[in-house]
Amino acid sequence: MGDRGDLTDAQWERLEPLLPVSNGRCGRWRDHRQVVNGVLYRIRTGVHWRDLPERYGPWKTVHERHRRWSADGTWEMLLRRIQAEADAAGEIDWDVSVDSTSVRAHHHAAGARHAPPPAIKGGSAQAVRAARIWAELIDRPAEGKGGEALGRSRGGFTTKIHLSADGRCRVLSLVITPGQCADCTQFEAVMDRICVPRLACGRPRTKPDSVSADKGYSNRRTRRYLRRRGIRHVIPEKADQAANRIRHGSSGGRPPGFDKDRYKKRNTVERAINKLKTFRAVATRFDKRGHVYLGTVTAAALVVWLRS
């Protein structure tokens, strides 16, 4: 008997053709549906891997599949393919909103060895994706030490999820950083990771119709980036920035345009965050490795897309 959170037959029919297949040289994959349901059960409930119900098979198999797919970018590939199908059907609202949320890290998330994950066997494409994902999470001075997207903020031991969401409260792109990382520093990274492939042919879509964000993103660099790409945006001006502009008179420049009705749609990203945090392994980080936690959040976003 399946769990209420398992993939339905309709969801599985959409996902099954996209999953990797065995190359015949490294043995056969264990039943994908059983293992994927096991991964989703753990993400939804936040249980220890060892406590997975027996109906999902050996817990080591489920854990290894999740670790491998997080490292080689399989979860990200599946999310992009589902987004491509929705875009081809005209089901994506390209009025995008950007925001971030802090996630408390459990003490089990600490203690990872400060070394890159082991190489993933299975082809050059997987190796390239794994190297890229690790490079994005490697130790950077602006994000704090550790290289695993763990840091200290006013919320304590935390990780921060930066994301963009479409007008139907579904995640378009994800970036994770240590909890003390400022929102505005990751705006360009979040926007650059919006990449929805075309099913037939042509370049992936990377440019939304408009972008809205809160005052935390109000700065010259963000507005200059959006103007350069020709993207309409709604970002309220901070009080100190407005006062400084007025103090300089005519040399202070014009106030940025602000559409109140468009800004009301910014709640879509807040609702997207709420949907992600219904998964307990997303709301509290238990994964030691940053790339594994990124895979956890991506898998949760994939489920939200499948359910919509």
Side-chain angles (χ1 to χ4, degrees):
M1 182 177 179
D3 183 82
R4 63 183 178 87
D6 289 352
L7 295 172
T8 65
D9 291 338
Q11 293 168 355
W12 178 246
E13 287 178 4
R14 295 182 62 190
L15 193 61
E16 184 180 18
L18 310 178
L19 295 172
V21 296
S22 174
N23 57 16
R25 295 176 297 176
C26 303
R28 294 181 299 174
W29 292 92
R30 191 176 183 90
D31 179 36
H32 274 319
R33 186 169 187 176
Q34 179 189 37
V35 175
V36 170
N37 281 331
V39 173
L40 298 183
Y41 178 89
R42 185 264 174 179
I43 294 175
R44 184 172 62 83
T45 62
V47 300
H48 290 282
W49 287 105
R50 294 175 183 269
D51 295 333
L52 280 176
E54 294 182 359
R55 63 177 176 271
Y56 298 120
W59 71 268
K60 287 186 178 181
T61 301
V62 181
H63 174 262
E64 176 62 20
R65 190 79 56 88
H66 178 55
R67 186 199 67 81
R68 180 182 293 269
W69 284 4
S70 298
D72 66 13
T74 298
W75 288 122
E76 181 184 3
M77 178 272 294
L78 294 174
L79 178 62
R80 294 268 174 89
R81 293 291 297 275
I82 294 297
Q83 290 173 345
E85 292 179 0
D87 187 45
E91 296 176 354
I92 296 182
D93 183 347
W94 283 98
D95 285 334
V96 172
S97 300
V98 177
D99 206 351
S100 70
T101 182
S102 292
V103 173
R104 189 65 181 265
H106 196 272
H107 63 269
H108 289 170
R113 292 190 297 271
H114 300 305
I120 300 298
K121 299 179 181 178
S124 58
Q126 287 181 319
V128 169
R129 286 198 298 267
R132 176 180 60 79
I133 291 172
W134 175 253
E136 291 174 356
L137 294 171
I138 204 165
D139 188 13
R140 284 173 283 189
E143 297 181 1
K145 297 181 178 179
E148 299 295 346
L150 289 167
R152 297 283 179 179
S153 65
R154 284 188 289 181
F157 191 41
T158 53
T159 291
K160 185 173 282 189
I161 303 173
H162 307 261
L163 70 154
S164 64
D166 77 334
R168 298 182 62 185
C169 311
R170 300 171 299 186
V171 172
L172 286 173
S173 60
L174 288 164
V175 173
I176 65 169
T177 64
Q180 74 272 13
C181 189
D183 295 357
C184 59
T185 63
Q186 300 302 312
F187 179 81
E188 294 181 24
V190 171
M191 293 296 297
D192 290 342
R193 295 204 63 162
I194 298 177
C195 183
V196 178
R198 309 285 186 177
L199 283 185
C201 60
R203 296 179 179 178
R205 177 160 183 174
T206 60
K207 181 179 174 180
D209 293 334
S210 66
V211 173
S212 63
D214 61 22
K215 291 183 179 180
Y217 297 90
S218 178
N219 56 65
R220 291 183 179 179
R221 178 174 177 176
T222 297
R223 298 183 192 277
R224 189 183 306 118
Y225 169 84
L226 292 169
R227 285 197 299 269
R228 185 172 67 249
R229 294 190 59 188
I231 301 174
R232 294 184 295 111
H233 57 279
V234 180
I235 303 175
E237 189 178 26
K238 293 181 180 179
D240 61 332
Q241 294 173 346
N244 184 59
R245 175 176 51 77
I246 294 172
R247 186 170 61 252
H248 283 80
S250 59
S251 62
R254 294 178 298 176
F258 184 75
D259 185 344
K260 290 184 178 180
D261 292 333
R262 171 65 183 90
Y263 189 69
K264 290 178 181 179
K265 293 183 65 176
R266 197 190 67 82
N267 70 84
T268 55
V269 69
E270 305 286 356
R271 289 150 61 192
I273 290 170
N274 288 341
K275 289 183 178 182
L276 284 180
K277 286 194 169 182
T278 60
F279 297 85
R280 296 194 174 192
V282 174
T284 301
R285 174 176 170 176
F286 300 102
D287 301 308
K288 291 182 184 295
R289 289 293 185 189
H291 70 280
V292 176
Y293 181 65
L294 179 60
T296 296
V297 182
T298 305
L302 174 64
V303 174
V304 172
W305 277 88
L306 289 172
R307 289 176 179 173
S308 65

